[in-house]
Amino acid sequence: MPILYNDAYKTEEPVDYWSRTVRDIGKRVFQRPQDADIFERQMRHESGGYNELILYGNRRGEAGELGGPQYTPAFAKDRGVTPGVNPYKDFLDAATVMKSYMDEYQDWSKALSAYNAGKYATDTAIRQGADKWMDYIPASTRRRYIPGILSQSY
C-alpha cells in the first residue's frame, strides 16, 4: 500500500477519502463551492472513480495518460510534474490548471474542453464556431466528457 498523507485514509474507503480530499483541494483553489464540486466530479471521472491503479500510475489511459488527473506525458513534462507519484500533488496541480482555464474562459464547458481536448483545439473551436463552438470540438469531448461531468450527481 502506498504511503499517504492523511491518517483518515486508514479509516475511510479510498473513494470516500479521495472524494473528500479532492473536494477540499477544490474549495481552496476555487472561489465558489459549486466549482469545487464540479472539479471533484471531473477528477473522479479522470481517475476512474479514484481507482488506485490509476492514482499511483500503474495503469495508463489510451493515449498514455498517467495519474489521477490523467495527464499526457507531454503535458506533465510541460507542467513539471510526475503523475502517479503523489496523487495529492497531482490533484492540486490539476486544480491549478482548471482554475487557470476557468479564469480565462469563465465557463465550465470551455474549461473542461480545454482540459480534455486541449487548449489549442478549444481556442480554435471558439474562433471557428463562435456561439456554436461545441460543433468544432471532438465528438467524444462534446458528447460524453463535458455533459458527463456537468450532469453527474453523487
Side-chain angles (χ1 to χ4, degrees), residues 46-63:
E46 291 288 345
S47 67
Y50 301 117
N51 181 312
E52 290 194 335
L53 290 174
I54 295 172
L55 291 178
Y56 293 99
N58 296 317
R59 186 183 322 155
R60 291 178 179 260
E62 293 176 12

Side-chain angles (χ1 to χ4, degrees), residues 72-147:
T72 62
F75 188 74
K77 184 177 179 183
D78 288 347
R79 300 276 313 149
V81 298
T82 306
V85 173
N86 182 331
Y88 183 87
K89 287 183 179 178
D90 294 346
F91 289 128
L92 185 58
D93 189 72
T96 304
V97 170
M98 287 307 297
K99 175 76 165 93
S100 72
Y101 291 159
M102 280 299 293
D103 287 347
E104 179 175 347
Y105 296 114
Q106 298 293 306
D107 176 273
W108 268 104
S109 293
K110 290 175 182 169
L112 288 167
S113 175
Y115 192 93
N116 187 253
K119 190 168 173 358
Y120 178 79
T122 301
D123 290 342
T124 300
I126 292 167
R127 275 193 309 278
Q128 290 176 337
D131 290 343
K132 296 189 182 278
W133 68 274
M134 285 187 86
D135 293 343
Y136 295 86
I137 60 172
S140 61
T141 300
R142 178 178 66 246
R143 293 183 187 148
R144 289 190 301 271
Y145 188 78
I146 294 170

Side-chain angles (χ1 to χ4, degrees), residues 39-50:
F39 174 71
E40 190 279 327
R41 292 194 308 256
Q42 177 193 15
M43 290 300 107
R44 181 184 294 243
H45 173 87
E46 291 288 345
S47 67
Y50 301 117

Side-chain angles (χ1 to χ4, degrees), residues 16-34:
D16 295 331
Y17 170 82
W18 285 112
S19 179
R20 182 177 48 75
T21 300
V22 170
R23 190 171 285 112
D24 288 346
I25 289 169
K27 287 176 183 174
R28 286 196 337 224
V29 172
F30 297 97
Q31 299 295 319
R32 303 177 318 161
Q34 61 267 37

